[in-house]
Amino acid sequence: MNRIETVREYIDAVLLNIPSAAKRRSGYLHLYGVSQACALIAMKRNENIELATIAGMLHDIYYYSTLDANDHAQKGAIMAREILTSLQCFTGDEINMICTAIYHHSNKGDRFSPFDEVLIDADVMQHCLYNPLFDVAEHEKQRYEKLQLEFGLA
Ligand SMILES: [Fe+2]
């Protein structure tokens, strides 16, 4: 099994445990949607596709494990570190890369390392493409416009 599928098994088990069907649905859409957007953006920017895909799957793991959104990025980075360490197939450097990106992902207004930026932009892309007819959230407008330019859509 490749490492993306190893992490997916873990995520699937967490999502299946969510009692509310609506929250479960949002978890599948959002975590796997962000994960696919991470793959796309990482391909475009020559960043690590495998680790970006995994960061996308794990980025809101704290929220979908606890349904508590408070400090979910920081708490999620700690939780992701525990999960990735327990899976025993990632190096310390790989775990640091993924968890640093998760830690920063809620700060849409700041700029971070190119790898961290993949996850932040993927989060915006999933929110905006879930229903392209909905209004774009104010705090995501600037990043969404840049993404449209980057992908030749504007
Ligand atoms: Fe998210």
Side-chain angles (χ1 to χ4, degrees):
M1 188 156 39
N2 76 45
R3 298 195 295 180
I4 291 174
E5 295 311 308
T6 300
V7 177
R8 196 190 308 277
E9 263 194 2
Y10 186 95
I11 300 291
D12 280 344
V14 169
L15 293 174
L16 265 180
N17 240 335
I18 299 175
S20 148
K23 282 265 189 291
R24 217 161 45 238
R25 171 181 174 278
S26 112
Y28 284 118
L29 280 166
H30 186 60
L31 295 186
Y32 291 135
V34 170
S35 172
Q36 288 188 338
C38 276
L40 178 74
I41 298 169
M43 278 175 199
K44 183 92 170 63
R45 299 181 188 170
N46 249 319
E47 291 296 322
N48 188 311
I49 296 165
E50 182 191 22
L51 298 186
T53 302
I54 289 167
M57 284 184 194
L58 280 167
H59 82 285
D60 279 341
I61 192 65
Y62 182 83
Y63 174 70
Y64 287 107
S65 298
T66 63
L67 300 180
D68 169 13
N70 281 328
D71 298 327
H72 78 284
Q74 291 79 3
K75 290 175 184 165
I78 295 167
M79 192 177 263
R81 181 174 296 280
E82 288 165 4
I83 295 164
L84 293 170
T85 304
S86 75
L87 294 175
Q88 295 188 321
C89 54
F90 294 91
T91 67
D93 284 349
E94 289 173 331
I95 293 173
N96 285 339
M97 259 176 90
I98 293 168
C99 295
T100 302
I102 293 173
Y103 188 91
H104 289 145
H105 87 269
S106 287
N107 298 34
K108 304 281 187 289
D110 294 329
R111 304 282 301 170
F112 296 98
S113 75
F115 185 80
D116 293 0
E117 286 287 315
V118 172
L119 177 59
I120 297 175
D121 283 338
D123 205 14
V124 170
M125 194 180 259
Q126 197 280 332
H127 291 148
C128 297
L129 297 185
Y130 169 74
N131 184 334
L133 304 185
F134 284 165
D135 288 339
V136 173
E138 200 53 49
H139 70 287
E140 296 191 324
K141 271 188 180 152
Q142 208 183 352
R143 281 185 180 271
Y144 187 52
E145 279 167 19
K146 274 192 174 168
L147 280 164
Q148 287 178 302
L149 282 174
E150 182 180 3
F151 283 85
L153 303 172

